[in-house]
Amino acid sequence: MEAKRQDLNVFGMTCAACSTRVEKSLNKAVGVERANVNLVTESAAVYYDPEQIGPEQLIDIVKHAGYDAAEKMSKEEKDAVLEKQFKREVRRFILSAILALPLLLTMVTHIPYLHHTAFAMGVDEVISPTIQLILATVIQFYIGWRFYDGAYKSLRGKSANMDVLVALGTSAAYFYSLAEYVRQLINPNIEAHYYFETSAILITLILLGKLLESYATSKTTQSIAGLLKLQSKEAVVLRENREWKVPVDELAIGDVILVRPGEKVPIDAVVLTGETSIDESMISGEPVPVEKKAGDTVIGSTVNFDGVIQAKVTKRMDETVLSTIIQLVEEAQGVKAPIQRLADRISGIFVPIVLAIAVLTFVIWMIATGGVLDQSLQVAIAVLVIACPCALGLATPTAIMSGTGKGAESGILFKGGEHLERTAKVDTVIFDKTGTLTEGKLRVVNMLEENANFTRFAVAMEDQSEHPIARAILAYLEDQGVPQVQVEKIRAKAGHGMVGTLDGVKVALGSYRFIANAITIPKGADGEMQTWMQAGQTIVAMSVDDDFAGAFGLLDTPRKEAKEAILRLHELGIKTAIASGDQRVVVENMATELGIDQVYAEQLPNDKSDIVADLQKKGHVIAFVGDGINDAPALATADTGISIGTGTDIAIETGDVTLVGHQLTLIPQTIQLSRATMRNIRQNFFWALAYNCAGIPIAAIGLLAPWVAGLAMAGSSVSVVANALRLKRLKLK
């Protein structure tokens, strides 16, 4: 049975160790095929066997791991929950900051050469140990209870996360100070050393860091929010000869909608009456409005310019082009890139190692100082805090979200982080020709007729095909009044043409090579077709009962931006090739015109996938660009399959990357974006790991106060997110 997907909202994760814990728990469950947990979006995508496990059991697994979960909410519901949580955290931070401020003043009493000054002694008198204890206790156990709760749940699940580090570090400072307070109560003559401010300020700074982190990471989800804003909320529907304004979600397939000038088309539909022009730039990227008349499709959320149209709804709201794009972007942001799994593995073992280092540091300092507990404790606490792997956990998902979001804004849709990562390694791009590199608007420029039934049979044969060549021939012949033909049987020959029986005779129609291999073409006709081919025309020939019947010469021109796209690919250091079923001379002429490096002509669909496989064996990383239908084998074989087409025909199931619209310059932009995203991830990894690797020894030798470590930890996470957000400003060219 095919695995079913269940999306969950997961709440309460604070670092990469948390998301790793949830992911491991889900993946170990019987019936779960795989699970991906995203720390930034607080979500999980679980693929499972519904006969063995269900959504309720998946939620229970997450809760047992120590986190809250729910079936995927609507954006409005999730936003409401997150806003409520954010406001609660803001209130707690403000309270914590107010309570910690007096404790902050007591830090002056720990500074050498200042602790005996009048100011320090005045602080000691005003903010007595009892007041310090009360303030610190509220912060530690009311505001900071979340860390104890998270640490308990994590340890119960046999793992350790950021909460464990924070709970241990702050508890050590608090309880040591409490012990000193009790000791001084018993003997007022001893000099006590209080570090209530250490735990209180640490908790306050960590809360501040999480607030800044939440605000920064929310910026990475703005692309989806922007797409959602494009969706129409209401539509005017015609029922019982009256106009009714209804929510778009209530429209059904077959409903007739009315769209006036300046209004958005509410949903995907086909025009019944009226003519207009539609701005489809938000889908196709084309700035010029597209003319629409009866029979044409219109896309939901595009803008009607200058005419009134009535259109019949053809898709439900969740099936529209825009909804499909939103779903694809959400899935891409939830699927991990392979490089993220490295971060997860590191985070999974990092916290236990840090705990061991902190204990070792404490022991060494106790020995080195002759048993000075407070100093040894301070150093161990600093190690615990500075080593928190928050930045490491955010390094990849924030960059992936920014990269895929930037792509969505530009009309580039990645199916997942793994495809974005693989695309960055591409060194060769192979193009399909017809409809990909060319306009796909073939026109017949020459016709050779040597059989009285040639045009009749051509109409009957091509009427069975949706190929651009067939459409061009039918358009050429439609005004010639060709009579009907009795069609008995027609069968397609993939990559060649068609064969069939018409009016009781055997007819074959297809490429020059297909017909030339089957029959002997008269010398004069063959010479004329050779001339056509030398001029770059595509030949479609016909035989009737194994005799040559005629041929068409069709011309297709490269897209106006094709040469620029090839040039940009070359500037990126990428080799280019054409793989086409067309005649060699036609393909070679086009390759020369566009500056393409390699030509593979007269190729069947399976031949194209063999070409990709052969190049892969030689060590090349291949991207294949096609329409996602005839080129499905090659798209599936390539390291990155890029489906290119109009917004109404997105080959999402075939390609790894889908380009909305038909701008070939999106292809070099796709690779540029992939490379920039991977470069950003590597930068994040470097700084996150460098920060931990440098910070731990600095803290271990006593050069970092715990409160400074807390501030640095928060700054590290925010800096990683800020670096990822730079991708939003990337200029693609």
Side-chain angles (χ1 to χ4, degrees):
M1 176 179 287
E2 185 178 350
K4 189 175 181 180
R5 173 175 171 143
Q6 177 65 53
D7 291 305
L8 301 175
N9 291 118
V10 181
F11 301 103
M13 297 186 295
T14 56
C15 67
C18 298
S19 58
T20 301
R21 170 63 188 159
V22 175
E23 190 168 278
K24 283 182 178 178
S25 299
L26 288 168
N27 279 318
K28 285 193 296 186
V30 176
V32 174
E33 183 178 297
R34 70 182 187 279
N36 292 316
V37 178
N38 191 313
L39 173 64
V40 178
T41 58
E42 294 187 298
S43 63
V46 188
Y47 297 85
Y48 67 99
D49 181 351
E51 293 186 354
Q52 294 183 286
I53 196 169
E56 291 183 2
Q57 288 78 24
L58 295 175
I59 291 172
D60 288 340
I61 290 168
V62 176
K63 289 183 176 179
H64 184 72
Y67 306 90
D68 291 326
E71 290 190 42
K72 186 179 180 182
M73 306 172 182
S74 67
K75 184 180 184 303
E76 291 76 15
E77 290 173 330
K78 185 179 179 183
D79 284 348
V81 171
L82 293 178
E83 185 179 1
K84 185 177 179 180
Q85 287 182 344
F86 187 77
K87 287 181 177 178
R88 183 171 65 244
E89 292 304 316
V90 168
R91 288 195 299 269
R92 288 194 175 186
F93 165 71
I94 292 172
L95 176 60
S96 185
I98 292 171
L99 296 176
L101 184 60
L103 293 171
L104 182 63
L105 294 175
T106 67
M107 294 186 71
V108 73
T109 63
H110 299 301
I111 299 175
Y113 311 112
L114 291 180
H115 61 281
H116 289 306
T117 63
F119 177 76
M121 287 187 287
V123 168
D124 269 341
E125 284 186 24
V126 175
I127 308 172
S128 66
T130 302
I131 292 175
Q132 292 181 43
L133 173 62
I134 293 170
L135 295 175
T137 300
V138 175
I139 295 174
Q140 187 75 29
F141 297 107
Y142 173 66
I143 297 170
W145 183 254
R146 55 176 286 183
F147 299 113
Y148 286 108
D149 185 54
Y152 166 73
K153 290 176 179 177
S154 177
L155 293 172
R156 186 186 66 186
K158 299 178 182 178
S159 69
N161 63 0
M162 168 192 165
D163 292 332
V164 174
L165 298 180
V166 175
L168 279 175
T170 58
S171 295
Y174 175 83
F175 285 109
Y176 173 77
S177 301
L178 180 61
E180 287 288 277
Y181 179 81
V182 173
R183 194 163 69 93
Q184 194 174 50
L185 279 180
I186 295 171
N187 183 4
N189 296 321
I190 66 169
E191 183 179 356
H193 298 279
Y194 297 113
Y195 293 96
F196 287 120
E197 82 284 352
T198 298
S199 62
I201 292 170
L202 269 178
I203 289 173
T204 305
L205 287 174
I206 290 168
L207 291 178
L208 174 61
K210 297 305 291 183
L211 287 176
L212 293 173
E213 187 182 294
S214 297
Y215 175 77
T217 53
S218 69
K219 298 291 184 182
T220 65
T221 63
Q222 285 185 346
S223 299
I224 291 179
L227 290 171
L228 288 168
K229 286 179 182 177
L230 293 174
Q231 291 182 324
S232 301
K233 299 294 185 290
E234 293 183 323
V236 175
V237 64
L238 300 176
R239 292 173 181 164
E240 300 172 355
N241 295 320
R242 290 181 60 189
E243 297 180 13
W244 302 85
K245 186 169 282 190
V246 300
V248 174
D249 290 339
E250 294 183 8
L251 291 175
I253 294 175
D255 277 345
V256 177
I257 55 176
L258 180 70
V259 188
R260 295 184 173 89
E263 295 179 343
K264 280 185 180 180
V265 177
I267 198 167
D268 292 9
V270 60
V271 178
L272 296 176
T273 63
E275 294 185 2
T276 189
S277 55
I278 301 284
D279 178 6
E280 296 184 345
S281 57
M282 52 79 69
I283 292 291
S284 66
E286 293 282 0
V288 179
V290 181
E291 299 299 322
K292 298 290 183 179
K293 60 183 185 303
D296 291 338
T297 57
V298 288
I299 304 168
S301 302
T302 56
V303 180
N304 181 26
F305 263 9
D306 50 20
V308 178
I309 58 171
Q310 292 183 18
K312 183 172 70 175
V313 176
T314 56
K315 292 180 181 177
R316 298 196 310 269
M317 192 62 187
D318 59 352
E319 298 174 334
T320 63
V321 171
L322 185 59
S323 295
T324 305
I325 290 172
I326 293 170
Q327 180 184 357
L328 189 62
V329 175
E330 287 178 331
E331 289 179 358
Q333 294 182 342
V335 177
K336 290 185 178 179
I339 195 171
Q340 170 65 19
R341 304 193 185 282
L342 172 62
D344 291 345
R345 286 196 296 271
I346 294 172
S347 297
I349 62 173
F350 195 72
V351 173
I353 290 174
V354 168
L355 291 173
I357 292 173
V359 171
L360 181 61
T361 300
F362 176 77
V363 171
I364 291 173
W365 271 84
M366 284 290 287
I367 295 171
T369 59
V372 180
L373 181 61
D374 58 339
Q375 190 173 2
S376 303
L377 202 57
Q378 287 280 297
V379 174
I381 291 169
V383 170
L384 287 172
V385 175
I386 197 70
C388 184
C390 298
L392 185 65
L394 292 168
T396 298
T398 50
I400 292 290
M401 292 186 71
S402 287
T404 52
K406 176 68 176 180
E409 292 171 1
S410 306
I412 303 166
L413 306 178
F414 293 93
K415 285 186 74 174
E418 60 186 297
H419 303 301
L420 187 144
E421 179 175 344
R422 197 181 302 133
T423 302
K425 301 174 183 176
V426 166
D427 60 28
T428 304
V429 175
I430 303 175
F431 292 88
D432 172 49
K433 183 178 80 71
T434 304
T436 300
L437 277 174
T438 68
E439 293 288 349
K441 297 176 182 176
L442 289 153
R443 65 186 190 281
V444 176
V445 293
N446 282 302
M447 186 177 80
L448 181 62
E449 186 174 8
E450 297 202 359
N451 184 298
N453 291 316
F454 173 62
T455 54
R456 295 175 61 235
F457 289 166
V459 169
M461 296 286 274
E462 298 290 33
D463 196 45
Q464 308 299 311
S465 173
E466 291 296 324
H467 195 280
I469 290 176
R471 298 295 98 190
I473 291 173
L474 288 173
Y476 178 74
L477 297 175
E478 75 175 340
D479 296 329
Q480 298 191 15
V482 178
Q484 291 292 316
V485 173
Q486 180 64 41
V487 178
E488 297 177 25
K489 183 175 67 173
I490 292 179
R491 180 165 56 91
K493 301 280 284 184
H496 295 294
M498 293 182 290
V499 295
T501 303
L502 308 179
D503 284 351
V505 297
K506 185 175 71 173
V507 179
L509 180 73
S511 67
Y512 170 83
R513 185 178 64 163
F514 177 47
I515 300 300
N517 287 340
I519 66 169
T520 300
I521 299 176
K523 189 174 181 180
D526 190 61
E528 189 164 353
M529 286 188 288
Q530 291 293 337
T531 302
W532 295 353
M533 283 189 281
Q534 291 295 333
Q537 296 175 29
T538 297
I539 307 301
V540 175
M542 178 189 291
S543 67
V544 175
D545 280 341
D546 295 329
D547 289 326
F548 180 73
F552 297 100
L554 298 96
L555 196 61
D556 193 6
T557 55
R559 292 184 173 275
K560 59 182 181 297
E561 77 280 7
K563 194 167 185 175
E564 180 186 358
I566 300 301
L567 178 62
R568 290 184 186 175
L569 286 171
H570 288 161
E571 289 173 350
L572 291 170
I574 293 171
K575 296 289 185 182
T576 54
I578 303 181
S580 173
D582 215 338
Q583 293 94 349
R584 175 164 292 278
V585 65
V586 174
V587 182
E588 287 178 343
N589 284 344
M590 180 165 290
T592 301
E593 182 181 350
L594 298 179
I596 290 175
D597 303 311
Q598 184 66 44
V599 169
Y600 300 97
E602 301 176 355
Q603 302 295 316
L604 301 177
N606 288 337
D607 293 335
K608 296 178 183 179
S609 61
D610 291 340
I611 291 166
V612 172
D614 288 342
L615 289 171
Q616 287 171 329
K617 289 177 184 176
K618 295 176 182 178
H620 294 286
V621 181
I622 308 298
F624 189 93
V625 185
D627 62 12
I629 302 170
N630 296 329
D631 300 307
L635 285 165
T637 305
D639 297 284
T640 299
I642 301 177
S643 298
I644 186 167
T646 63
T648 54
D649 187 26
I650 299 175
I652 288 173
E653 294 302 319
T654 311
D656 304 315
V657 180
T658 298
L659 305 184
V660 182
H662 208 141
Q663 292 293 309
L664 293 177
T665 47
L666 287 174
I667 297 165
Q669 289 179 8
T670 299
I671 295 171
Q672 181 191 356
L673 177 60
S674 300
R675 290 180 177 179
T677 304
M678 295 311 299
R679 185 164 58 248
N680 191 282
I681 290 172
R682 286 191 289 269
Q683 290 168 355
N684 286 347
F685 267 2
F686 173 80
W687 289 113
L689 290 171
Y691 158 83
N692 285 127
C693 292
I696 290 173
I698 291 173
I701 61 176
L703 297 179
L704 206 62
W707 71 272
V708 177
L711 186 61
M713 182 197 71
S716 174
S717 296
V718 173
S719 66
V720 163
V721 176
N723 186 49
L725 288 172
R726 290 192 306 113
L727 289 168
K728 306 284 279 183
R729 300 192 300 273
L730 178 68
K731 292 185 179 180
L732 300 175
K733 58 181 181 179

